Amino acid sequence: MNYKRFYGPLVATLAITLSASICVAEGAKPTLDDLLQQVRSGSEIERSLARQLIPRYGIDPVHNLIPLLFLEDSSVSSAANKIILDIANDVSVPGREAERDVVAQQLLDALAATDVQKQQFILLRILPVVLPEGADIQAISALLYRDNTKERARRAIQESNTAEGRAALRGALPDADEAFACALMDALNKTQDDEATPLILAKLHRGTDAEKAAAALALARTGDATLVEPFVALANSIDINHQFQAEDAVLRLADALVRTGGKWDASMALYRTMLAQSVNPVIQGGALAGLGRFGDESVLDTIMSTWTNDASGLLEGPAVAAIEAINDPAMAPRLSEVYAGQPVAVKEKLLGIMARTQDPRFVPVFQSATDIAPAIQIDALTQYRLPECVPLLEGLAATSGPEDKTAAIAAITTMATAFRDQGDHAGAGRAYLSLYRTADNDETRNTAMEGIKAFPVPEAFDQLKQALGDDGLLELQPSVLTGMARVLAEAGRTDESNELKTILMSRANDTASVQQLLQMGPVSGSNEDFARQLGFVNQWHIAQPFALKDAPTDGSPVLVDGVVDLSVTFGEGDGAVRWIPTPGAGAMALVNFPLQDQVRAFAYVTVHVAEAQEATLRIGSDDGVRAWVNGVKVHENDIDRGTALDSDLVPISLKAGDNALLLEIIQHAGGWNFCARLTTPDGFPLQFEQK
């Protein structure tokens, strides 16, 4: 590759641009004459640079640039055109109206001064960008009466859309030839010129067929109900070359009748008329679309009749789209009723429509769709994607051939994933259970089982028990068993729920599982027994309150030489603090203290274990806590917080026999309470006696 040839122009451009930028930055601003000379005779790179810099001089360069528009050298005229457009766009913003007027007038003066068609066309392309309201556009409107310029002038006036321009279009309409009259009416329609209505009405009644069709299209937007009869008559009588335009105007009038309000019945009648009158499938499709867009359940019979009587098959798509577009709560029962009497081919399409609504009222239709091919049912059910679809898919998987069975299993898998992602845990659990029953390979079966575990439902209990056996149930994670126990209890299957909770009591070795068990409550017996089964200490001796300010952190005054004496009284008289036996409340064995600020309390218990062992002391406290085991401090966490299960996990060593456990509960402000439980190092409730 010739790299010099390839990169040379780019390097030159960058160099010139950089040089110009440096000059501007240093105050050596190029003069306007220099830049205009670059446009006239410079290189392409210099012209490009001039285009960037000339607009900085405001509107002054415009009168110098206009003559350059007309030069034969296209590179010069094109550059001048682009610069003027840049300036025109710059001044066509609020606050620069005076400058805009000047630029527009200069262009209009240039237009008035030339009879050269090419020059006129160049100016007509620029003027709409900058032409303001109130400008004298005689130079443009004069061109509406010349054959070789009238279309370009009309287009420029339409694009600028000023009051003066619309008046000029109206003035040209009465004497315009057929083709130009049609173009003028189109422009007046697009500029929404209501003052033109009488002129266009005259063309509707007395023009040629082409003018009548164009007039109808221009008048349709008004939504004038008095136009209904003449529009329908025109569409019925006009020559074939303009019939489509006339019929399209009827549809546009029907749309406008709805939008202007209070003319819904007339609009629906017009759509029905065009369905009956027109033989053009595009017009018929447009009428169907209008019925769907604006209609209610009452238009369904018309749509269905058009669809089922259409031998060409061209109206099936528009009919389906129209039915889907109808927004009416009464559509579901009406569509279900209509469905029953249709041929199978139509029913198949209607199933798809119903599925895409995801309206549960269509479920009975799907349940009775035994005459529809399994593949069609599966596809529709996959789109329907409601929990009620899963049993239907399971039934299809059980009764269909291999290919359809595979599709049904895939659909169930898709639904299970969708329900999971939507947060519908019950729907996901039932879908996974269905997937387990229909799975035809180990991979799918394993996926289903994981889903059942993650999203338990009551129906899955028997499946799990059958698949895993009692021993297998014991091996499931506690969170799985907890979820299953909860949903069984909610379903009223109390015995089975308690069976799982009993298993859980011996398996709950993590905070989440214990928390879920606490939410479900005891299998039987009291909360006190339940708390003990979960390892909570629920019989304490409490001494409180002691001042927090300047308090020691060594357990004093209650801990002396590593020993607590429950017979000791702290202080004298009414303010004396004594050890008081205090039970924990509820399944968490929570001990609540009277509300005070900046105080502390001590809680003491003797726990007895049969043999020496390592254990974990799990504490929840509001606020902070310190802990001693057998007189030795094992934990300190002075913090502001609320009580939560197992907030602090403290490894401890217990000796065989009695062990003294002392807690100091630190209170800063707000609530004041605590709970504590003992577990094995791996989280299972510890077996101990408390004294």
Side-chain angles (χ1 to χ4, degrees), residues 257-592:
L257 286 170
V258 176
R259 293 193 176 101
T260 54
K263 304 165 189 173
W264 183 85
D265 290 332
S267 174
M268 296 300 106
L270 268 186
Y271 292 130
R272 289 187 171 99
T273 296
M274 295 317 297
L275 282 174
Q277 180 173 305
S278 179
V279 295
N280 189 316
V282 176
I283 296 298
Q284 291 176 311
L288 287 170
L291 289 173
R293 190 164 56 249
F294 301 116
D296 58 16
E297 57 88 18
S298 66
V299 305
L300 181 59
D301 287 342
T302 301
I303 297 173
M304 292 302 305
S305 176
T306 303
W307 174 6
T308 55
N309 291 323
D310 171 41
S312 70
L314 296 175
L315 297 181
E316 179 183 283
V320 169
I323 295 172
E324 289 187 313
I326 296 172
N327 183 18
D328 183 359
M331 265 295 288
R334 185 73 187 99
L335 187 57
S336 299
E337 180 183 349
V338 167
Y339 169 89
Q342 301 303 321
V344 170
V346 175
K347 283 184 173 180
E348 291 175 350
K349 297 295 181 181
L350 291 177
L351 276 182
I353 295 173
M354 295 175 185
R356 288 187 286 276
T357 67
Q358 296 191 330
D359 188 328
R361 290 179 292 176
F362 289 123
V363 169
V365 175
F366 282 85
Q367 291 171 334
S368 63
T370 55
D371 54 342
I372 306 299
I376 301 296
Q377 292 187 64
I378 292 167
D379 180 65
L381 287 166
T382 303
Q383 296 179 70
Y384 205 12
R385 200 167 291 186
L386 293 178
E388 294 88 345
C389 299
V390 174
L392 301 178
L393 286 167
E394 184 176 345
L396 288 167
T399 58
S400 302
E403 185 174 347
D404 290 333
K405 178 177 181 178
T406 299
I409 292 172
I412 295 171
T413 304
T414 298
M415 286 192 183
T417 303
F419 298 151
R420 178 200 67 193
D421 294 343
Q422 294 164 7
D424 181 0
H425 292 181
R430 293 185 176 94
Y432 281 119
L433 178 60
S434 181
L435 183 62
Y436 184 85
R437 289 194 290 254
T438 58
D440 54 3
N441 59 68
D442 289 341
E443 181 180 358
T444 302
R445 196 171 292 108
N446 290 337
T447 297
M449 182 56 72
E450 290 305 310
I452 292 171
K453 294 175 183 177
F455 305 102
V457 291
E459 304 94 308
F461 176 73
D462 297 330
Q463 196 75 56
L464 280 173
K465 195 168 185 179
Q466 179 181 347
L468 303 176
D470 290 336
D471 292 339
L473 281 176
L474 289 171
E475 296 302 319
L476 289 175
Q477 294 178 355
S479 59
V480 176
L481 293 174
T482 302
M484 188 67 70
R486 184 186 66 254
V487 296
L488 285 170
E490 292 170 353
R493 297 170 64 173
T494 306
D495 291 343
E496 292 157 319
S497 176
N498 287 340
E499 178 184 347
L500 287 183
K501 283 198 282 187
T502 299
I503 295 173
L504 278 167
M505 295 298 289
S506 62
R507 291 287 317 284
N509 67 333
D510 63 274
T511 301
S513 297
V514 172
Q515 186 68 62
Q516 290 174 334
L517 280 169
L518 289 168
Q519 292 172 356
M520 289 188 291
V523 174
S524 60
S526 65
N527 276 326
E528 182 180 0
D529 293 335
F530 189 40
R532 290 289 294 113
Q533 290 170 334
L534 294 173
F536 285 98
V537 178
N538 60 356
Q539 294 293 334
W540 297 90
H541 287 80
I542 302 296
Q544 62 85 25
F546 296 91
L548 181 59
K549 185 178 180 181
D550 300 325
T553 61
D554 59 359
S556 59
V558 302
L559 186 65
V560 179
D561 296 329
V563 176
V564 171
D565 184 350
L566 296 178
S567 65
V568 172
T569 298
F570 306 97
E572 298 179 355
D574 294 339
V577 175
R578 297 176 175 80
W579 290 103
I580 300 175
T582 305
M588 277 182 63
L590 190 69
V591 176
N592 280 292

